[in-house]
Amino acid sequence: MAAEEAPGGGLAEHTRSIIALSWARRLGLGDEDLLGPGSRHELSTPAGSPVSFLRLFDHTVLSAPSEVLHQARRLADAELADERSLLALARRCAAGARSLGAAQLLYAEEPPILTAAQRGAISFEPEAVQAAIAASPADDVQASGIGAAPWRAALVDEDTGVSLGAAGREIWAGMLAQLGVLTVPGQRRRGVGLQLAAVAAEEAFTEGLIPQWRAGTESLAALRIAAGLGFSSAGTQTTVTLD
């Protein structure tokens, strides 16, 4: 993806509409709020809730407690999308605020085609998934979202039976499939994550869902997977916790 490409520029209008509707419903906005001409929305959340700034196509949404919303009204969208600026804003209201980072939101319209040699066998056995989770750092498990995902699969070495990684999926608004991948340390940079993400995306298409991939803006591995599977960026989300 070229840096100059507008968010969602590689996605069909129908796909863009489904993505916008799914996010609107997840956030509690009106079905039409993230469609049409660009707009900025504010959502007041309970005190102590995380601060989130979403850029989706031509729209932006700031979700935050009222005291943060008040401080944010003088800032431009570009400032709120910046991780350091959003953290500085949050710390005016909560000194202990910390950033959870910024992530690109990417989507695919076609099932992935892998040309590289594939490893292992896909297993849907809970024990295989749990083995990958047990062999991975807790922070990585939490970031992947696999721990509580309703749909999960693992990639298992056919010779040893050892789990190399796992994938998970959560359905948003009945239309988007939020994908997560976890690669066991020692198995990284070997195509495990790409293969697992491809399986999760293909399964999503089979069920009529649009795959969604969140990649930290500094995570080259996650961005490489997105590029390898033909995902296109539709925006970004920056999040700060107040505790």
Side-chain angles (χ1 to χ4, degrees), residues 136 140-141 143-146 151 153 164-169 178-184 188 191-201 213-214 222 225 229:
S136 302
D140 291 352
V141 175
S144 72
I146 290 173
W151 179 96
L164 309 177
R169 183 193 71 202
Q178 166 59 32
L179 310 182
V181 166
L182 178 70
T183 302
V184 172
R188 293 169 184 170
V192 171
L194 180 65
Q195 187 173 340
L196 282 164
V199 169
W213 182 256
R214 291 171 56 88
I225 289 174
L229 298 181

Side-chain angles (χ1 to χ4, degrees), residues 63-85:
S63 305
S66 58
E67 63 270 25
V68 178
L69 291 179
H70 179 74
Q71 294 280 342
R73 288 188 180 122
R74 62 182 182 80
L75 299 179
D77 286 346
E79 294 176 276
L80 293 173
D82 180 76
E83 182 179 353
R84 289 175 295 180
S85 296

Side-chain angles (χ1 to χ4, degrees), residues 1-2 5-11 15 19 23 54-57 102-110 172 175-180 197 201 204-205 209-237:
M1 281 171 291
E5 184 181 343
L11 298 170
T15 303
I19 295 168
W23 271 96
L54 172 72
R55 300 189 75 161
L56 190 69
F57 306 122
Q104 284 199 40
L105 303 171
L106 304 112
Y107 302 86
E109 294 182 295
E110 300 290 340
W172 286 18
M175 292 174 278
L176 299 183
Q178 166 59 32
L179 310 182
F205 278 114
L209 303 169
I210 296 175
Q212 174 177 274
W213 182 256
R214 291 171 56 88
T217 54
E218 302 298 323
S219 177
L220 296 180
L223 292 170
R224 278 196 296 267
I225 289 174
L229 298 181
F231 279 68
S232 296
S233 177
T236 62
Q237 186 177 31

